[in-house]
Amino acid sequence: MKKFVIGFVSGAMLFSSVTVLAASGLLGQKVQSVVTIEKSGVKIAEGAVINGSIYAPVQELAKATGTTVTIKNKKVTLGSPAALATNSVTASSRTTPTEIGKSVNFNYKTGGYSGTVAVTQVLRGAAAWEAAKEQYDAFASEPEAGYEYLFAKIKVSISKVDKVGATADLNQFDYKLISTSGTEYGAQIILAPDPSISTKVYAGSSHEGWVGYKVKTSDVSPLIAFSRNYDGTGGVWFKTN
């Protein structure tokens, strides 16, 4: 992947900004080519290749990837500290679940660690069954009548572990599937795709893996809950569609 270089003036295309090119020592340099930048098959911007690096409008890229941009004192900051501070576990609940692809802060007291967590991808029904067959071949078995598989890919970044020097013990069973009506599905041993979310992670590192469930085909919008209290309160909640 070619390197993205930041250096623009409030949303201007880098390769058309004389001020920025001069400041970067690139004024007069030849644009080798213009490239199209896409996300999920949709064009979001264009960039210019100069000396092997791609120069592109950071604001457009940030908007497309859900990243905040702050311009202050001739400095560009990707990701607003203020926004991250308010994106706490209290911003995610059963009534206001977090969207797929969006990270939220958590403090898992039972597990003894904290950080950010996101559901990055969900497969359900036919797509989940195809993934199961591809992963386990002859060992894969279809759910019973009235049920289907739901696989969720989860990314966890650990910022702190309460016990100094210890790892955070990530466990698939910490992620509970709650039906649309509010009933918790019981613990299920499902052969989800690899890698599993279950692993051990030190502070400062992250892991992305799958959890698997069997869900009623009639259950339209179940939620995934993580780091709740023993009585079911609190925690972070994610949509599955």
Side-chain angles (χ1 to χ4, degrees):
M1 181 179 292
K2 289 186 173 65
K3 178 182 178 183
F4 280 88
V5 179
I6 301 174
F8 72 103
V9 178
S10 190
M13 290 295 289
L14 294 186
F15 54 87
S16 64
S17 172
V18 175
T19 301
V20 172
L21 291 177
S24 304
L26 294 173
L27 190 60
Q29 295 292 320
K30 182 180 178 181
V31 175
Q32 296 165 312
S33 64
V34 176
V35 297
T36 298
I37 301 172
E38 296 184 351
K39 179 185 179 184
S40 302
V42 178
K43 178 180 176 180
I44 59 175
E46 288 186 340
V49 180
I50 303 176
N51 291 339
S53 294
I54 298 177
Y55 290 76
V58 176
Q59 286 179 314
E60 292 300 318
L61 298 179
K63 181 179 179 181
T65 56
T67 305
T68 60
V69 175
T70 302
I71 309 170
K72 186 177 182 181
N73 298 328
K74 298 183 179 180
K75 180 173 71 173
V76 178
T77 302
L78 297 179
S80 169
L84 291 175
T86 58
N87 192 24
S88 64
V89 293
T90 57
S92 180
S93 66
R94 184 186 170 204
T95 55
T96 57
T98 303
E99 300 281 348
I100 296 173
K102 183 177 180 182
S103 296
V104 62
N105 293 346
F106 72 89
N107 181 12
Y108 189 26
K109 295 180 180 178
T110 302
Y113 58 90
S114 56
T116 62
V117 60
V119 172
T120 59
Q121 185 180 356
V122 173
L123 300 176
R124 181 172 176 174
W129 172 232
E130 288 302 317
K133 287 193 295 182
E134 182 178 352
Q135 179 77 49
Y136 298 104
D137 196 15
F139 293 100
S141 59
E142 292 192 72
E144 59 269 31
Y147 284 81
E148 60 188 8
Y149 288 128
L150 187 155
F151 298 145
K153 197 172 189 180
I154 297 173
K155 182 176 182 179
V156 182
S157 297
I158 305 300
S159 60
K160 180 184 177 182
V161 179
D162 293 347
K163 186 177 180 181
V164 178
T167 58
D169 188 4
L170 308 186
N171 191 309
Q172 60 179 327
F173 297 114
D174 289 335
Y175 300 86
K176 307 296 185 182
L177 187 67
I178 313 298
S179 73
T180 305
S181 62
T183 301
E184 180 178 324
Y185 285 89
Q188 308 169 67
I189 300 177
I190 305 296
L191 294 177
D194 287 334
S196 169
I197 190 61
S198 297
T199 191
K200 297 181 184 295
V201 182
Y202 283 101
S205 188
S206 61
H207 175 69
E208 190 170 18
W210 293 88
V211 294
Y213 310 95
K214 281 193 296 186
V215 59
K216 292 181 179 179
T217 55
S218 59
D219 194 351
V220 179
S221 300
L223 302 176
I224 295 175
F226 169 62
S227 77
R228 294 179 302 166
N229 299 318
Y230 72 94
D231 59 358
T233 59
V236 294
W237 296 69
F238 290 94
K239 294 181 178 180
T240 60
N241 54 23

